[in-house]
């Protein structure tokens, strides 16, 4: 099994990568290739040009940038999972991504840009108020995670842009939890949730909750976050807030669960993620 | 690239996967190809010491890497510690998944850390044994940590 024929370039700089993208009718950027290559082998995607950014230097570090942590485009899942300065929700989501082989090759930024609704890290980036840094022919722009996920496997990146980093906020408490397709936390998520919280004088002053696997795209559970703010974070407050996890959202069924089951899981994992964040 | 200690250089077609390159060009057919889409782990080899799926890498991506396939791990009469443990525990039935499991296990042992059986099961979850012989595989790896 192999992909349709394509041209391949491995540019040495982001500028070269952008120039290659600009000169092609249908090019795809590849970092680890853990999502792109299966799609190409199944011939669901057949780009005429693959731009392998894997040889570009300077994209493989995790850096503190003021109140954010910046994860470079070539940082692999296991590095995100193990780094001390990555917020817990994203580190946990990275540690539960795929399996060892996937975590060795796949990248956090690649997972975010791919935007799979069942992938773990996009909802963590949402909950952590993430910012996606994209470089194109007209310079660099920063896209809020809230505006980044457009629809199923569709993100706000333009065809001639390369995402160079994803930034997430360092403050507050956060956590991620999921149900994997093979039970436990292994494999793609059936459903999962990331929670980010801030506490002030014993009450929750700010909150964001991101959901994996239940809607067409990584989605914020705004009703849960709003219900949580101002409470003391007691078990009852969490229970009541998490019960609203699916409010206002279009929950989709798939091979792994009905709308009812996915709605249930959204509530369960919103609750677990919030509790886990508070127990940090 | 370096494969099992031998240097190789040349051109490869852009769309050739690393597993096809190893099997068809280098005739290293010990690397098995199962699902070909990143689920079964049979094609796992070591790339710079890390377990990677050779079906989900293009050969060209391995440019400059140091690869170890099952052919580089041991041979009859001179088995690696892991291979000997697999044999002792009868940790294979049909044997199709074995080269992949040995690569994943080699990375685990290479870390120098000791893991519980439960952790090992999780760390080996990227490899599927369709004969379902997981118990002896986990036991063999667990034993090698000592």
């Amino acid at each position: 099994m192999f992909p349709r024929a394509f041209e391949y370039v491995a540019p040495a700089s982001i500028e070269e990568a952008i120039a290659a993208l600009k000169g092609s009718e249908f090019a795809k950027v590849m970092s680890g290739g853990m999502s792109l290559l299966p799609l190409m082998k199944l011939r669901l995607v057949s780009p005429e040009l693959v731009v392998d950014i894997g040889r570009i230097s300077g994209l493989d570090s995790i850096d503190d940038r003021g109140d954010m942590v910046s994860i470079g485009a070539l940082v692999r899942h296991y590095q995100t999972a193990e780094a001390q300065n990555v917020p817990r929700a994203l580190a946990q989501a990275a540690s539960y991504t795929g399996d060892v082989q996937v975590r060795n090759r796949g990248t956090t930024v690649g997972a975010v840009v791919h935007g799979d609704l069942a992938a773990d890290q996009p909802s963590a980036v949402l909950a952590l108020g993430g910012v996606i840094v994209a470089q194109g022919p007209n310079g660099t722009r920063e896209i809020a995670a809230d505006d980044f996920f457009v629809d199923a496997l569709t993100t706000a990146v333009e065809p001639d842009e390369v995402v160079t980093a994803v930034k997430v906020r360092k403050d507050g408490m956060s956590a991620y939890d999921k149900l994997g397709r093979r039970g436990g936390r292994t494999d793609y998520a059936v459903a999962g949730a990331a929670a980010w919280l801030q506490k002030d004088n014993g009450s929750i002053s700010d909150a964001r909750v991101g959901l994996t696997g239940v809607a067409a795209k990584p989605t914020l559970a705004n009703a849960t976050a709003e219900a949580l703010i101002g409470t003391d974070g007691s078990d009852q407050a969490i229970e009541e807030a998490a019960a609203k996890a699916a409010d206002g959202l279009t929950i989709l069924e798939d091979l792994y669960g009905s709308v009812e089951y996915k709605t249930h899981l959204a509530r369960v994992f919103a609750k677990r993620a919030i509790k886990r964040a508070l127990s940090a | 690239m370096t494969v099992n200690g031998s240097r190789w250089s040349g051109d490869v077609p852009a769309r050739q996967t690393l597993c096809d390159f190893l099997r068809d060009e280098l005739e290293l057919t010990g690397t098995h190809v199962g699902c070909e889409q990143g689920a079964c782990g049979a094609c796992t080899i070591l790339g710079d010491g890390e377990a990677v799926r050779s079906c989900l890498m293009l050969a060209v991506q391995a440019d400059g890497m140091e690869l170890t396939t099952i052919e580089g791990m041991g041979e009859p009469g001179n088995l690696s510690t892991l291979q000997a443990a697999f044999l002792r525990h009868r940790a294979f039935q049909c044997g199709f998944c074995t080269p992949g499991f040995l690569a994943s296990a080699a990375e685990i042992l290479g870390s120098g850390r000791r893991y519980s059986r439960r952790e090992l099961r999780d760390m080996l979850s990227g490899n599927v044994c369709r004969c379902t012989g997981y118990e002896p595989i986990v036991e063999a790896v667990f034993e090698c940590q000592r």
Side-chain angles (χ1 to χ4, degrees), chain A residues 1 3 41 78 99 101 104, chain B residues 15 50-51 53 55 107 127:
Chain A
M1 194 158 81
K41 291 179 81 175
Y78 80 91
D99 48 40
Q101 292 97 317
N104 281 345
Chain B
R15 64 169 159 172
E50 294 175 344
R53 285 198 173 88
C55 85
E107 182 194 333
N127 294 71

Side-chain angles (χ1 to χ4, degrees), chain A residues 1-6 8 30 32 34 37-38 41 43 52 55 78 99-102 104-105 182 186, chain B residues 14-15 17 35-37 44 50-53 55-58 60-61 63 104 107 122-123 125-127:
Chain A
M1 194 158 81
F2 47 88
R4 286 199 184 91
F6 56 86
Y8 171 93
M30 178 169 72
M34 292 295 99
L37 286 174
K41 291 179 81 175
R43 305 200 176 195
D52 181 356
R55 308 276 166 189
Y78 80 91
D99 48 40
V100 168
Q101 292 97 317
V102 167
N104 281 345
R105 291 288 303 167
R182 287 193 276 163
T186 297
Chain B
R15 64 169 159 172
T17 58
C35 72
E36 293 205 58
Q37 49 185 292
T44 304
E50 294 175 344
V52 297
R53 285 198 173 88
C55 85
L56 284 197
M57 274 183 74
L58 300 171
V60 67
Q61 285 179 285
D63 183 17
S104 293
E107 182 194 333
D122 196 47
M123 296 177 82
S125 70
N127 294 71

Side-chain angles (χ1 to χ4, degrees), chain B residues 71-141:
Chain B
E71 289 88 350
M73 293 185 191
E75 54 195 359
N78 186 27
L79 297 179
S80 71
T81 310
L82 257 172
Q83 286 173 319
F86 267 57
L87 187 60
R88 205 159 46 245
H89 285 272
R90 304 288 186 263
F92 42 83
Q93 290 168 60
C94 82
F96 192 84
C97 69
T98 311
F101 264 108
L102 285 167
S104 293
E107 182 194 333
I108 294 170
L109 294 186
S111 73
R113 287 176 54 187
R114 289 200 57 177
Y115 297 95
S116 66
R117 289 179 174 86
R118 192 193 168 92
E119 287 171 321
L120 287 177
R121 278 196 189 94
D122 196 47
M123 296 177 82
L124 292 168
S125 70
N127 294 71
V128 171
C129 167
R130 293 281 75 172
C131 307
T132 72
Y134 295 103
E135 288 294 326
I137 294 171
V138 171
E139 277 309 310
V141 181

